[in-house]
Amino acid sequence: MTWIIIFSTLGFAAVIFFLRSGLYRLNWPLDSTQDNKEQKLSFSVVIAARNEERNIEKCLQSVFSQDLPTDRYEVIVINDRSQDSTPEILSNLQSQFKNLKVITITETPAGISPKKYAVTKGIESASNEIIVFTDADCTVKPQWLSAINNNFKSDTGLVQGITSYGYINGMSKVFFGLQAIDFLSHGVIAAAAIGANLPVNSNANNLAFRKSAFHEIGGYGSDSKVVLGDDDHLLQKVWKSKRWKVRFMADNRAIAETEPTQTPRAVFEQRRRWGSVTVHYQPSQILLLSLVFQFYLMTAITAIIAIFHHSFLNVFAGLLLVKLAGEFVLLIPGTRIFGKKNLRKYILPASLIQLPMVIGAVLLGVFCKFDWKGQKMSRKIK
């Protein structure tokens, strides 16, 4: 038992320092205004929408408010079997925005992830080389596409940007803060892993890539059966190809903003969905995450043992201290880079809540069904 605890602790510490070094190897300066601003790339923004009547108009209004000329971008919305008023809203918006294209999906072929099928249809119909993903429940700033333009170099295959939560009026500020710092931690890990040249996770809320790179890696390929992970799988496959570089866009003018979930149960369901994808990562990424999960699991096990054998209380306290220290090591610089210093006060309580949530979310996400867009789904289409 002692050796397992030591191994788990050392593995976790190694991952933390590996990621910390990656944060400081990101592309500097963080303000990308001067990077490649003379190039004039054209963009195809692809948005998958299913039952998004509450969000889609606000999302598109923000996308069409870019500081670029409208002839440099098009917007493609895939209406994925919506059963609300999303189709009618999109039809009305097409008369307002001439470069809005709507693709309607009435049925998803058997054995293919609905989300991956939808975005692939959008990519196929794109007129431009640079594909940009965001989600129908997000809003973006006017400098969004300009910043993406500035971050692409000749060898860049994919650019990942920042996504953050926006406060909802009436929501408990504590509940919002706990969600926001947890969500931010995923973005910090994504940035750090890219900086360390071992990309792990991504976020399709704010993601751009070359259409040619997508075709070169064979699209989603065998990953098409995995329900989620359209962002993570794409990121990892582009990186694995060695043909293209992956870049993190640490530019606060290009943040995509989305809403937090409304209830603790919804938060857990969301984390279950994220956890379901991890077993389908590349081997090196699975190893990295396994070291963290093993440490979390060992910390939880010592907590249970300590209930019956008080001599383990010190062991549990020590492991918990290591966990907290590791997260502070990443999140203190992470909140500075992402412009979210106001969330630092939530790091400690969120860390305590995160331990059981991560363990439960990963195990239930991998082995049980989860809710997604009103559907009960397994992690993989059979």
Side-chain angles (χ1 to χ4, degrees):
M1 184 72 172
T2 301
W3 284 109
I4 296 175
I5 292 173
I6 293 173
F7 175 80
S8 300
T9 304
L10 292 176
F12 177 74
V15 170
I16 293 298
F17 284 109
F18 175 73
L19 293 175
R20 170 71 182 238
S21 68
L23 270 182
Y24 287 94
R25 289 204 295 269
L26 289 175
N27 302 287
W28 301 93
L30 297 180
D31 183 349
S32 62
T33 306
Q34 302 304 316
D35 293 0
N36 307 321
K37 70 175 183 178
E38 298 303 321
Q39 69 180 353
K40 297 185 182 300
L41 300 175
S42 295
F43 305 92
S44 292
V45 180
V46 174
I47 305 170
R50 175 175 167 81
N51 297 333
E52 292 287 356
E53 63 181 5
R54 192 173 70 87
N55 301 306
I56 190 63
E57 184 169 2
K58 184 179 179 181
C59 170
L60 291 178
Q61 291 287 354
S62 74
V63 172
F64 281 110
S65 297
Q66 297 303 297
D67 61 5
L68 293 181
T70 55
D71 61 358
R72 283 184 56 191
Y73 66 94
E74 64 177 353
V75 181
I76 303 167
V77 177
I78 306 95
N79 170 32
D80 183 13
R81 301 163 293 142
S82 293
Q83 298 172 325
D84 61 3
S85 61
T86 298
E88 290 76 20
I89 295 171
L90 290 172
S91 179
N92 292 333
L93 288 171
Q94 278 187 291
S95 62
Q96 181 179 351
F97 302 113
K98 301 305 179 184
N99 51 341
L100 171 61
K101 184 188 301 183
V102 177
I103 299 172
T104 298
I105 293 175
T106 56
E107 187 177 353
T108 300
I112 299 178
S113 158
K115 176 69 179 293
K116 289 174 181 172
Y117 178 73
V119 296
T120 299
K121 284 294 183 184
I123 295 168
E124 289 173 353
S125 68
S127 304
N128 300 312
E129 166 67 359
I130 307 299
I131 309 295
V132 186
F133 279 175
T134 192
D135 284 345
D137 59 355
C138 292
T139 57
V140 295
K141 296 181 180 181
Q143 302 89 357
W144 182 49
L145 293 180
S146 293
I148 293 173
N149 178 88
N150 297 345
N151 273 272
F152 265 93
K153 296 183 178 180
S154 59
D155 62 349
T156 304
L158 183 147
V159 170
Q160 174 66 60
I162 301 171
T163 303
S164 67
Y165 278 156
Y167 178 70
I168 301 174
N169 288 333
M171 176 176 279
S172 162
K173 291 186 177 180
V174 173
F175 182 49
F176 171 78
L178 292 172
Q179 273 198 81
I181 192 64
D182 180 67
F183 186 73
L184 179 74
S185 71
H186 293 271
V188 171
I189 290 170
I194 288 173
N197 195 30
L198 186 65
V200 176
N201 59 310
S202 183
N203 196 326
N205 289 339
N206 196 355
L207 180 69
F209 55 93
R210 294 186 186 274
K211 187 176 182 179
S212 55
F214 181 80
H215 290 310
E216 284 174 21
I217 63 175
Y220 290 112
S222 60
D223 292 325
S224 295
K225 291 180 176 291
V226 182
V227 173
L228 302 177
D230 50 294
D231 40 18
D232 297 346
H233 290 145
L234 182 57
L235 168 77
Q236 293 177 19
K237 288 178 75 174
V238 170
W239 166 78
K240 188 181 178 183
S241 72
K242 305 300 181 185
R243 164 82 165 82
W244 299 102
K245 297 287 180 65
V246 172
R247 184 179 174 98
F248 191 88
M249 181 173 60
D251 189 331
N252 289 322
R253 299 163 310 148
I255 290 177
E257 190 172 277
T258 188
E259 290 186 352
T261 51
Q262 301 278 5
T263 65
R265 180 176 179 178
V267 174
F268 185 68
E269 278 296 323
Q270 184 184 61
R271 300 315 188 259
R272 281 181 62 188
R273 294 194 295 271
W274 295 351
S276 72
V277 184
T278 55
V279 293
H280 300 287
Y281 284 177
Q282 301 292 328
S284 52
Q285 282 80 358
I286 291 176
L287 174 61
L288 189 78
L289 294 179
S290 294
L291 290 172
V292 176
F293 185 76
Q294 183 184 46
F295 175 76
Y296 279 18
L297 194 60
M298 187 55 56
T299 303
I301 289 172
T302 57
I304 295 170
I305 295 175
I307 296 173
F308 305 98
H309 301 281
H310 296 329
S311 60
F312 270 81
L313 279 173
N314 289 336
V315 178
F316 168 64
L319 292 177
L320 196 59
L321 186 61
V322 170
K323 179 182 186 296
L324 292 172
E327 286 162 0
F328 272 97
V329 163
L330 283 181
L331 289 177
I332 292 300
T335 52
R336 176 176 53 79
I337 291 171
F338 283 35
K340 297 292 181 179
K341 290 183 180 180
N342 61 308
L343 294 177
R344 287 178 177 175
K345 60 186 176 184
Y346 296 107
I347 295 176
L348 176 59
S351 178
L352 298 175
I353 296 169
Q354 184 205 39
L355 181 64
M357 184 172 69
V358 167
I359 294 171
V362 170
L363 293 176
L364 291 175
V366 170
F367 296 108
C368 303
K369 291 185 176 182
F370 51 83
D371 292 322
W372 184 73
K373 295 287 184 179
Q375 305 167 90
K376 204 76 172 176
M377 308 193 79
S378 300
R379 59 184 169 84
K380 196 169 184 180
I381 303 291
K382 297 180 180 178

